[in-house]
Amino acid sequence: MRTLYHWPLDPNSRQARLALGEKKLRFKLVPVVPWAPTESFLNLCVEGVPPCLVEDTDGGKTIISTARAISEYVADDGNSRTALLPQSAKMRAEVRRLCHWFDVKFSGDVNAYILSERLEKTMTGSAPDPAVLRIGREHLKFHLEYMSWLLESRDWLACNQMSLADLAAGAHISCLDYLDEIKWDKWPVLKDWYQKLKSRPSFRPLLKDRIPGLRPSRQYADLDF
Amino acid sequence: MRTLYHWPLDPNSRQARLALGEKKLRFKLVPVVPWAPTESFLNLCVEGVPPCLVEDTDGGKTIISTARAISEYVADDGNSRTALLPQSAKMRAEVRRLCHWFDVKFSGDVNAYILSERLEKTMTGSAPDPAVLRIGREHLKFHLEYMSWLLESRDWLACNQMSLADLAAGAHISCLDYLDEIKWDKWPVLKDWYQKLKSRPSFRPLLKDRIPGLRPSRQYADLDF
């Protein structure tokens, strides 16, 4: 039995879901609201925020939190047919550099503005601040430019094979796309990459997510957007 | 030829130095001031902050930035005698959870207050704000309690072998110890752990670091503090 504590529009939770999905591992989803975790979740996960993966095995319970640790754990199965990390150590370093980029830099530059304003504020009944959103959108433009630049010379973000870096990026981009924050016609190279990623079976459950009171963008679940 | 761009009292740079030191890899150090990087460093490293590792090989230049990617790259050499990641996948996940804890949570809770006030402000000629320092010190207490609690049941932070998690933690703790922010007599379990870590050859170069105008604490370089 495998349970993932998650929140549907949390990019970190989505990274974990995508990694598990890519490895075709079955899991049950239990929702946790990041800004209002339950007492029982706090007892389970010292980080206090999703994602948290719990595996019941004969030897007891394995509890792994943070998108980073869960993704690496799931990738770490020695199955090269569905490898989420490339063979070369140099390329693995590039994957991990980019994962850190999305976990820390993209999160701080973009999520801390756009997602917290448009999701947390909407859910807790206050209005988003347009000045804060403007900053987040300026930062987002820089990040989309950087991703496009990377994709000019590579099939996928870190190298020529799909990796944890694409899952990290895709998790973030998909949340922003739910909120219609990306004007896809301005980013053709990125759009091609996201179309490939979005068509993968691991993405399907994410495209079915709906947040009550917050309708997704028109193209959110459309594979030919 | 291997060059590490670093800043002496930057916990992220220290993680990279410790990992390279544990693996007995030779490298040249080039200083970069995190809040005033040079143009040539910015051309080399898109993150714009140290650490950044440059390896010149026959096949060209390998450039790896972020403490996380550098540490994993250095750990990733298949040499089990000096392994910085444990054999068990479950334990590796715990190492990576804790690395993320220090890279993101500890950094945000403590460095963002204490290090930025006491280092960046001192270096740039302004005075630290006591209210900000107070918040950082409250957070630090929580983190030292958590680390002590982990060490009650483990020889090292993540498991019973020294790992990247200890290097991540040690990198942070050593910067705070330079600034005399840790009252060691209050944290006996943590002190034992830090004494073991500090005695390792990989730590020696760090204990020689001196920042002009900022004298280290009395115990900073003392192995029997």
Side-chain angles (χ1 to χ4, degrees):
Chain A
M1 246 277 282
R2 204 178 280 117
T3 306
L4 183 75
Y5 292 80
H6 87 127
W7 193 68
L9 281 195
D10 166 39
N12 296 320
S13 301
R14 288 189 159 212
Q15 280 192 59
R17 288 165 74 190
L18 289 171
L20 288 159
E22 284 292 327
K23 289 290 187 177
K24 304 205 178 355
L25 297 170
R26 295 173 72 90
F27 57 102
K28 197 179 82 180
L29 281 172
V30 173
V32 182
V33 180
W35 51 88
T38 57
E39 197 62 31
S40 69
F41 180 71
L42 292 175
N43 287 334
L44 187 75
C45 168
V46 63
E47 278 75 10
V49 286
C52 182
L53 178 70
V54 180
E55 280 189 345
D56 288 312
T57 52
D58 294 344
K61 238 185 214 346
T62 299
I63 302 170
I64 305 173
S65 41
T66 77
R68 204 70 279 112
I70 297 171
S71 303
E72 289 269 358
Y73 176 73
V74 167
D76 203 3
D77 70 347
N79 185 345
S80 61
R81 269 196 320 125
T82 56
L84 298 174
L85 283 165
Q87 278 287 312
S88 128
K90 189 173 153 175
M91 289 292 107
R92 279 196 294 279
E94 178 64 355
V95 170
R96 287 175 173 135
R97 178 186 77 79
L98 283 169
C99 287
H100 187 85
W101 179 276
F102 288 99
D103 285 352
V104 178
K105 194 159 170 55
F106 192 100
S107 274
D109 288 351
V110 182
N111 296 6
Y113 297 88
I114 301 181
L115 291 195
S116 69
E117 285 299 312
R118 293 203 49 201
L119 293 177
E120 190 175 338
K121 282 208 173 171
T122 306
M123 303 283 121
T124 54
S126 50
D129 180 340
V132 175
L133 283 176
R134 208 156 37 234
I135 299 169
R137 286 172 183 150
E138 269 310 304
H139 291 170
L140 176 59
K141 219 184 289 173
F142 157 77
H143 279 279
L144 299 180
E145 262 162 29
Y146 179 54
M147 291 168 74
S148 299
W149 179 79
L150 290 174
L151 290 164
E152 295 282 358
S153 62
R154 300 165 178 184
D155 291 347
W156 295 90
L157 274 177
C159 52
N160 287 333
Q161 93 183 55
M162 206 277 300
S163 73
L164 290 182
D166 299 285
L167 302 187
H172 283 277
I173 294 296
S174 64
C175 292
L176 292 164
D177 189 40
Y178 187 102
L179 299 173
D180 209 12
E181 288 287 344
I182 302 171
K183 304 300 160 224
W184 287 108
D185 51 341
K186 289 192 182 157
W187 307 100
V189 180
L190 202 64
K191 186 177 168 176
D192 283 351
W193 162 84
Y194 189 54
Q195 219 152 20
K196 270 195 301 186
L197 199 62
K198 206 172 160 178
S199 307
R200 296 177 80 89
S202 67
F203 239 84
R204 250 172 251 157
L206 279 67
L207 301 181
K208 290 189 192 132
D209 285 344
R210 293 296 176 272
I211 300 287
L214 195 67
R215 213 187 296 193
S217 67
R218 210 176 34 83
Q219 76 280 356
Y220 177 67
D222 183 1
L223 298 183
D224 302 302
F225 58 108
Chain B
M1 246 276 282
R2 203 177 279 117
T3 306
L4 184 74
Y5 292 80
H6 86 128
W7 194 67
L9 281 195
D10 165 39
N12 295 320
S13 300
R14 287 190 160 210
Q15 280 192 60
R17 287 165 75 191
L18 289 171
L20 288 159
E22 284 292 327
K23 289 289 186 176
K24 304 207 177 357
L25 297 171
R26 295 173 72 90
F27 57 102
K28 198 179 81 180
L29 280 173
V30 173
V32 182
V33 180
W35 52 89
T38 58
E39 198 63 33
S40 69
F41 180 71
L42 291 176
N43 287 334
L44 188 73
C45 168
V46 63
E47 278 76 10
V49 287
C52 182
L53 178 70
V54 180
E55 281 189 344
D56 287 313
T57 52
D58 294 343
K61 238 187 218 339
T62 301
I63 302 171
I64 305 172
S65 42
T66 77
R68 202 73 278 113
I70 298 171
S71 302
E72 290 268 358
Y73 176 72
V74 167
D76 202 2
D77 70 346
N79 186 345
S80 61
R81 269 194 322 123
T82 56
L84 298 173
L85 284 165
Q87 279 287 313
S88 126
K90 189 173 152 174
M91 290 290 108
R92 280 196 295 278
E94 178 64 356
V95 170
R96 287 174 173 136
R97 179 186 75 80
L98 283 169
C99 287
H100 187 86
W101 179 276
F102 289 99
D103 285 352
V104 179
K105 192 158 172 55
F106 193 99
S107 274
D109 288 352
V110 182
N111 296 6
Y113 298 87
I114 301 182
L115 292 194
S116 70
E117 286 300 311
R118 294 202 51 200
L119 293 176
E120 190 176 340
K121 282 209 172 170
T122 306
M123 303 284 122
T124 54
S126 49
D129 180 340
V132 175
L133 283 176
R134 209 157 34 236
I135 298 171
R137 285 172 183 150
E138 270 310 304
H139 291 170
L140 176 59
K141 218 184 289 173
F142 156 76
H143 280 279
L144 299 180
E145 261 162 30
Y146 178 54
M147 291 169 75
S148 300
W149 179 79
L150 289 174
L151 290 164
E152 295 283 356
S153 62
R154 300 165 178 184
D155 291 347
W156 295 91
L157 275 178
C159 51
N160 287 333
Q161 95 183 53
M162 207 277 300
S163 74
L164 291 182
D166 299 285
L167 303 186
H172 282 277
I173 294 297
S174 65
C175 292
L176 292 165
D177 190 39
Y178 187 103
L179 299 173
D180 210 10
E181 288 286 344
I182 301 171
K183 304 302 159 223
W184 287 108
D185 52 341
K186 288 193 183 157
W187 307 100
V189 180
L190 202 64
K191 186 176 169 178
D192 283 352
W193 163 83
Y194 189 55
Q195 220 152 20
K196 270 194 301 187
L197 199 62
K198 205 172 161 179
S199 306
R200 297 177 80 90
S202 68
F203 239 84
R204 250 172 250 156
L206 279 66
L207 301 181
K208 290 188 191 132
D209 285 343
R210 293 296 176 274
I211 300 287
L214 194 67
R215 212 187 296 192
S217 65
R218 211 174 36 80
Q219 75 280 355
Y220 177 68
D222 183 0
L223 298 184
D224 303 302
F225 58 108

